[in-house]
Amino acid sequence: MPRRRSPSPSSSTAPRNRTPQPVRVRQRTFGDFVKAFLAFVALAVLLVGVPVALAMTAGWPFPETFEPLEWLKQDISVSTFLSILTFVVWLAWAQFTACVLVEMKAALSGVGVPGRVPGAGPSQLLARQLVAALLLVGATAASFTPSLAQLGQTYDDNQRPTVAAAQQTPGLFAQQQEQAAGAAAAVAEQASHTEATPAAKKQGDTKFYRIQPPEGRHHDSLWEIAERHLGDGRRYKEIFELNKDRAQPDGSRLSEASLIRPGWIMEMPGDARGGDLVEMPDDAPEVSPEVRQQISDYARTGDGASGGGDQAQDSGSGGGTAHVDLPQQRPAPGTGHADLQRPAPDQVATPAQDSSSFGLPEALLTAPLLAAGLLGALGHRRRQALWQSAFAGIGGRRGMEPPTPTGDALDVQDALLVGADPEGVRLLDRSLRGLASSLAAESRPLPTVYAAWMSNGDLHLQLAQPSGKPPSPWQLGQDQTFWMLARADAETYEDVDTAAPYPGLVSLGTMDDSRLLLNLESVPGIVSLSGREEDRAAVFASVAAELATNGWSDRMTITLVGFGEDLTALAPSRLRHLDGIEALIETMEAETRQRRGALGAAGHDSVLTGRTGPAQHTRWAPHLVLLAAEPSPEDAMTLAELAADASRLGIGYLVGTGSGDLPGAAWEMEITGEGRLLAPLLGLELDAQLLPAAERRAVVELFTDADPEHGPDGPGTTPPFLVDISEQGRPAVYARLVGPYEIIGLETPDGERSALLHEALALLLLHREGVHPRVLSSALWPRGVTDDVREALLDRLRDWLGTDPDGTPRLRTDDAGRLTLAKSVVSDLDVLRSLYHEATQGKGVDSRAVRGRLLTDALVLVRGPLLADRPEGRYRWLTHEIVDAQLPLLVADTGLALAEFHMEKNRAEKAIEALNAALRTAPSDERLWNELLRATHALDDPERLTALASDLMTRSGARGLPPRTEALLDELLPTWRDAVAAAG
């Protein structure tokens, strides 16, 4: 159930306000200050007065000499009894003082549940009440005193006067800061109501604005309207709240701040100014009668006619609640680069906005970091399967091609290719590691980071507290708790050998144009997630999948409880599944003790100090717990106690709850059925990043099908496309991809589009099963492209490829909407695969002469690496392919088969020639090395074998020879080490 919602002033059928509502706290009364003063006096008496009185009357509790035997011989007198009683009183005072210190530390730091002082139940409760009262009066005073950061700012510059601590330390014990912020908000609200006059609420004074049609590339947006007429673009939310869900003249409604249309009418706040506003539509001669009537009709809807705009104004200005701030994004007009503001909501550019989804899963199209991680991990898994197959196969390969996905798995694979942003992942990783390296060089610790915001390529880190000036090229952001790095500066970073500083960052969703990554590792306590079970499961699956495959972490442990047993296939080395909460508590209690001891022994106060300097890269890897099953209240409190110190230890907890009430939760979030992630106390309302059940199953299917242990044993499978290698099968268009790129049978296109057409054809040739149009466009234009540009390219590609003699176009669209090439368009890679398949599984099996000829023809086709002369900056989509691993293995298989063919007739020189030809394309294939040693040994020439061993030693570099190659040399030439050493 939703929690901490402000009651709606309207009926139950009114649309829900999507803006997080501030927590309203009543103003302090005279009695509150009296209680706070009495608490201060009580603490002063108990902490200072008691020990002073004891020292003056009874003396110190410890004797001047230490003689236990003499004490035992003395009689128990009244003075002895008084001394014992005095010691007990001193002991009680020390215990109470410890309770005050523990409660004060927990309240000021906002870290989970305070520690328990042994045997101090009533004393600690009294200390907690006194400390809370004392901090309450201190926070109240602070709420009326501007901080140093606010000096020189007007109320218009900062429309949400909140306490800095409330923004920086959200958590279970941030209630005092929240109350102070609420008091400040109440003062601001009272001032605004004092300034407002009754006439300002009259219907006649209500102002309206009509959305203008676009001029060139400029489109009206709520941000621009607020900036022109309210003086601050950030007040666009006030306009949104005044007009949300009200029927527009065209019958549609405003539901998202970024989706507005020309001709719509916007009611404006009372302080709006500007020449193109309409104040009294019935008496405005410059406005057409039709528009006046539309505005008059619109004014009679909603709460604006009855003064309801005040509520929207309050909501838009925000309340004083602890929250994770949204960074401002762009320079304001007439300001420098450092004065940043957030861009208009409708200027958000994502890969999914350039066209419709074509039926691909939207959840992955709009999750670029998650898609990039999954795509990279999937490619690694498929390469691993190829290599294991190559070195484990005997008498034939287990499969050169990965299984071709179908159905939902194919759609998910296409969505990963379209939505992935590997460049963004690379820049994020380099930026964070570069920051860690710079801080280590300055002997500065890593600051605690609560969240990271990515917007238009810029990176903003939100710190738990001010940490000074960041190292160059980082800059201070909108305040002292933000460090900002522009994309242009991030691109100057190179790879550095340092530990990943913030591996616990994970995407939660987007707000306007900014993507939020929450650092689960640094949250001061448990993060709870409420909502329906299926909605929570989609969030948990997204978080688990991104943590398991992201590119900005070195190592971590992710423990899944209550869900995700199938997700362990994504990263078996990172993900583990536990059966129940009891096993989780037992595991985490042991690990918490171990980490505390390890940090203490190493002299570090937290894992962050252990990740800089000479620390081991994997020593302080995080452990993140994702608990989807709702714990009992007792288990929840146990977890809260474990999480109280977890942020220092590098442990994070995300716990699901159906009721929305989780004891001990520091930060609380809710996922709605509409895919919104709400955290009112953090000031967040996001479009959540999800991995629904259907997409999760399809992703798991891709990984399990690519598992090296999943494929069938036995000879290799048939390639997806076989070429007619007879004389009658001569193709109409022949492309050479293995080596320099050449095309035979087509005229070279004129103009600058030639390179683009060649790249599109290469992608289609490498995917004979078909290419989704969105995949093709995202490969050619990674930053997005409009529909008309993509369709124009496809038309030119069709015209260039032409038609077959029967009039059939050579570029076709299959029943699923994917682009395919006709069989008359062939590449040398297709021919190479077909020749090898025919030689090892076709006619060559029964005819030795045919096998030799086919293998020889196949090896002649190899002229170098794939697309050897491709221009710089193009063909970046090849990083997602496994053809770079397939081609060397295929060439090595061909060379090995031809060498075996020659060795059957003792033609060692011919075998050596074939192996050397294969080594030019697959120079690191250990199988070729070993067969080359055997063929050379067959020549019975020890000097030549020694020279070959020396050459292989040079090729292997610092790693040395592989163990199997070294063992083979020991067998063929026992004295090879001495001979190689003598040869230098």
Side-chain angles (χ1 to χ4, degrees):
M1 294 176 61
R3 303 182 66 242
R4 291 188 175 94
R5 292 283 180 81
S6 298
S8 173
S10 57
S11 65
S12 60
T13 60
R16 184 175 61 84
N17 188 352
R18 298 191 179 196
T19 302
Q21 297 297 313
V23 177
R24 298 298 181 188
V25 183
R26 65 180 180 87
Q27 289 184 297
R28 301 290 175 259
T29 64
F30 178 74
D32 294 331
F33 284 95
V34 171
K35 291 178 182 179
F37 177 74
L38 293 177
F40 173 77
V41 172
L43 281 173
V45 170
L46 291 173
L47 295 180
V48 180
V50 168
V52 171
L54 286 173
M56 295 178 62
T57 59
W60 298 105
F62 302 105
E64 297 179 358
T65 60
F66 185 74
E67 298 177 351
L69 294 178
E70 294 295 329
W71 299 342
L72 295 175
K73 295 177 181 179
Q74 294 179 0
D75 297 332
I76 299 178
S77 61
V78 174
S79 62
T80 304
F81 179 77
L82 291 176
S83 298
I84 295 174
L85 183 61
T86 301
F87 180 79
V88 171
V89 175
W90 274 107
L91 188 63
W93 171 83
Q95 185 189 56
F96 179 77
T97 302
C99 294
V100 172
L101 294 177
V102 168
E103 294 295 331
M104 185 72 73
K105 175 180 179 297
L108 293 178
S109 64
V111 178
V113 178
R116 296 178 179 176
V117 178
S123 296
Q124 189 162 5
L125 180 60
L126 174 62
R128 182 176 304 169
Q129 294 174 344
L130 293 176
V131 168
L134 181 62
L135 289 182
L136 178 61
V137 69
T140 305
S143 67
F144 290 98
T145 306
S147 65
L148 293 178
Q150 294 174 320
L151 293 179
Q153 298 182 4
T154 64
Y155 179 75
D156 291 335
D157 294 331
N158 184 9
Q159 295 197 355
R160 294 189 293 178
T162 59
V163 179
Q167 299 179 3
Q168 296 162 2
T169 337
L172 186 62
F173 290 94
Q175 296 171 355
Q176 290 84 3
Q177 291 90 339
E178 295 171 14
Q179 293 170 351
V187 172
E189 181 180 0
Q190 182 178 6
S192 65
H193 282 293
T194 302
E195 294 174 1
T197 62
K201 298 183 180 180
K202 294 180 180 179
Q203 171 61 29
D205 288 345
T206 302
K207 300 177 178 65
F208 298 91
Y209 177 83
R210 188 174 176 86
I211 304 299
Q212 301 300 311
E215 297 180 5
R217 294 189 176 183
H218 174 77
H219 294 256
D220 240 343
S221 68
L222 294 187
W223 178 282
E224 297 287 348
I225 297 169
E227 198 168 60
R228 289 198 307 268
H229 301 294
L230 300 176
D232 188 350
R234 288 170 292 182
R235 294 183 64 186
Y236 77 91
K237 290 186 177 180
E238 299 177 33
I239 306 175
F240 174 73
E241 289 299 328
L242 284 172
N243 299 274
K244 179 168 60 68
D245 293 322
R246 293 169 63 180
Q248 294 290 338
D250 61 359
S252 55
R253 298 176 184 270
L254 175 65
S255 59
E256 296 291 342
S258 60
L259 301 178
I260 60 176
R261 301 176 184 175
W264 279 9
I265 297 168
M266 295 289 117
E267 181 178 341
M268 301 293 290
D271 61 341
R273 299 291 183 269
D276 51 355
L277 293 176
V278 178
E279 188 165 341
M280 293 180 293
D282 295 334
D283 301 324
E286 70 279 5
V287 180
S288 67
E290 179 185 1
V291 175
R292 287 203 304 268
Q293 184 61 41
Q294 290 177 355
I295 294 177
S296 298
D297 295 341
Y298 188 77
R300 286 191 288 269
T301 66
D303 297 332
S306 60
D310 290 331
Q311 178 191 349
Q313 179 103 0
D314 294 341
S315 176
S317 62
T321 59
H323 67 286
V324 177
D325 291 320
L326 176 68
Q328 302 167 342
Q329 301 300 329
R330 66 170 185 180
T335 64
H337 177 70
D339 189 10
L340 302 175
Q341 294 189 16
R342 186 173 64 229
D346 62 342
Q347 295 176 350
V348 183
T350 63
Q353 284 181 327
D354 60 340
S355 65
S356 62
S357 65
F358 284 90
L360 299 180
E362 287 283 357
L364 293 172
L365 291 177
T366 56
L369 303 184
L370 170 61
L374 289 172
L375 198 59
L378 181 60
H380 177 76
R381 182 71 56 83
R382 287 173 172 173
R383 288 183 176 89
Q384 186 181 28
L386 281 174
W387 294 328
Q388 291 192 17
S389 174
F391 286 95
I394 300 176
R397 296 186 47 75
R398 290 188 295 172
M400 176 62 68
E401 301 293 332
T404 301
T406 58
D408 290 343
L410 179 58
D411 289 338
V412 162
Q413 178 176 273
D414 287 339
L416 294 177
L417 290 167
V418 173
D421 182 17
E423 181 68 11
V425 172
R426 184 182 67 86
L427 289 178
L428 175 61
D429 181 47
R430 286 186 172 184
S431 300
L432 295 177
R433 293 180 193 267
L435 174 63
S437 179
S438 299
L439 290 172
E442 298 176 6
S443 299
R444 295 172 59 185
L446 285 167
T448 300
V449 170
Y450 278 161
W453 293 92
M454 297 184 68
S455 178
N456 299 329
D458 297 340
L459 175 62
H460 302 253
L461 298 182
Q462 185 168 352
L463 313 183
Q465 58 189 5
S467 298
K469 183 179 179 181
S472 179
W474 290 77
Q475 305 174 21
L476 284 175
Q478 61 199 56
D479 58 40
Q480 295 289 325
T481 62
F482 275 94
W483 285 4
M484 192 273 289
L485 181 68
R487 181 186 180 95
D489 296 328
E491 291 174 345
T492 62
Y493 271 121
E494 297 181 354
D495 294 330
V496 293
D497 185 21
T498 188
Y502 303 112
L505 286 169
V506 63
S507 302
L508 290 186
T510 57
M511 178 187 290
D512 296 334
D513 67 333
S514 299
R515 180 171 303 277
L516 171 65
L517 288 85
L518 183 66
N519 190 3
L520 283 178
E521 182 188 20
S522 70
V523 173
I526 291 176
V527 179
S528 70
L529 177 66
S530 61
R532 295 186 309 177
E533 184 176 0
E534 58 270 26
D535 298 326
R536 298 200 317 265
V539 175
F540 273 106
S542 171
V543 170
E546 184 169 301
L547 288 174
T549 60
N550 73 57
W552 54 88
S553 304
D554 295 325
R555 283 186 57 195
M556 68 171 63
T557 299
I558 308 160
T559 298
L560 311 179
V561 183
F563 83 107
E565 187 172 4
D566 57 339
L567 288 175
T568 56
L570 273 58
S573 61
R574 286 192 181 185
L575 290 169
R576 68 175 180 181
H577 181 269
L578 296 181
D579 293 332
I581 299 177
E582 183 178 351
L584 172 66
I585 292 177
E586 181 180 355
T587 300
M588 298 314 299
E589 285 178 341
E591 180 158 352
T592 299
R593 289 194 301 269
Q594 187 272 334
R595 290 202 173 209
R596 283 175 179 160
L599 278 176
H604 298 307
D605 57 353
S606 75
V607 295
L608 292 179
T609 56
R611 287 180 186 153
T612 55
Q616 297 291 330
H617 286 197
T618 59
R619 189 172 184 177
W620 310 111
H623 186 166
L624 304 177
V625 176
L626 307 182
L627 173 58
E630 183 170 7
S632 65
E634 295 78 12
D635 291 336
M637 289 307 300
T638 302
L639 290 174
E641 292 177 1
L642 290 173
D645 198 28
S647 60
R648 185 178 70 90
L649 305 176
I651 303 175
Y653 295 85
L654 177 62
V655 181
T657 170
S659 62
D661 187 10
L662 185 69
W667 290 2
E668 298 175 341
M669 298 186 298
E670 176 194 355
I671 179 66
T672 70
E674 295 78 26
R676 303 286 288 175
L677 190 66
L678 310 177
L681 294 183
L682 301 180
L684 293 177
E685 182 176 358
L686 307 172
D687 291 320
Q689 179 172 294
L690 307 172
L691 187 60
E695 284 80 359
R696 187 192 72 222
R697 288 191 295 268
V699 166
V700 172
E701 180 182 340
L702 288 174
F703 277 81
T704 53
D705 287 347
D707 195 303
E709 305 298 329
H710 183 77
D713 295 328
T717 57
T718 302
F721 179 72
L722 289 175
V723 178
D724 184 358
I725 58 177
S726 66
E727 288 294 331
Q728 292 75 24
R730 187 178 299 275
V733 178
Y734 182 68
R736 293 180 175 177
L737 304 179
V738 185
Y741 192 2
E742 299 177 16
I743 297 180
I744 301 172
L746 292 177
E747 295 291 336
T748 302
D750 296 330
E752 299 177 352
R753 298 188 180 95
S754 176
L756 205 60
L757 292 173
H758 278 74
E759 186 174 357
L761 179 57
L763 178 61
L764 291 167
L765 285 168
L766 293 176
H767 289 276
R768 302 305 302 228
E769 73 279 7
V771 177
H772 196 286
R774 286 293 305 276
V775 174
L776 179 65
S777 62
S778 65
L780 301 179
W781 296 283
R783 295 189 178 182
V785 68
T786 57
D787 294 346
D788 55 342
V789 173
R790 181 186 63 247
E791 293 302 326
L793 172 74
L794 293 179
D795 290 340
R796 283 190 290 269
L797 187 58
R798 289 189 183 95
D799 294 340
W800 181 43
L801 291 176
T803 60
D804 285 334
D806 60 358
T808 305
R810 291 171 181 152
L811 178 61
R812 308 166 183 176
T813 303
D814 63 12
D815 295 337
R818 287 176 169 79
L819 303 168
T820 60
L821 292 173
K823 292 185 177 181
S824 58
V825 183
V826 173
S827 73
D828 54 356
L829 185 57
D830 297 327
V831 178
L832 177 60
R833 287 169 173 160
S834 300
L835 289 171
Y836 177 76
H837 175 76
E838 192 68 22
T840 56
Q841 300 183 48
K843 297 178 180 178
V845 175
D846 299 324
S847 173
R848 186 178 185 280
V850 172
R851 182 168 73 254
R853 176 174 57 81
L854 293 174
L855 292 173
T856 301
D857 291 344
L859 208 54
V860 169
L861 292 175
V862 181
R863 301 174 300 125
L866 187 76
L867 299 168
D869 58 350
R870 58 180 179 267
E872 185 72 22
R874 303 206 68 91
Y875 297 86
R876 292 186 176 179
W877 46 269
L878 281 173
T879 58
H880 302 319
E881 307 286 339
I882 64 169
V883 67
D884 60 335
Q886 288 175 311
L887 179 59
L889 289 175
L890 177 59
V891 173
D893 285 344
T894 305
L896 290 170
L898 186 56
E900 181 184 5
F901 169 81
H902 288 304
M903 289 301 293
E904 290 175 355
K905 296 295 185 180
N906 295 321
R907 294 197 292 262
E909 288 289 358
K910 288 288 187 181
I912 292 173
E913 182 181 345
L915 293 168
N916 281 326
L919 279 168
R920 285 192 286 271
T921 300
S924 60
D925 196 306
E926 182 185 354
R927 299 172 301 157
L928 293 175
W929 291 14
N930 295 343
E931 291 305 316
L932 187 59
L933 287 172
R934 292 189 178 96
T936 305
H937 178 263
L939 296 175
D940 197 17
D941 187 347
E943 293 183 1
R944 186 169 176 178
L945 186 59
T946 301
L948 176 59
S950 179
D951 179 59
L952 295 181
M953 286 284 293
T954 303
R955 294 190 191 186
S956 61
R959 295 176 301 173
L961 291 175
R964 284 183 289 190
T965 302
E966 190 171 336
L968 179 61
L969 266 174
D970 288 337
E971 177 186 348
L972 301 179
L973 187 64
T975 61
W976 70 274
R977 289 183 175 82
D978 295 336
V980 170

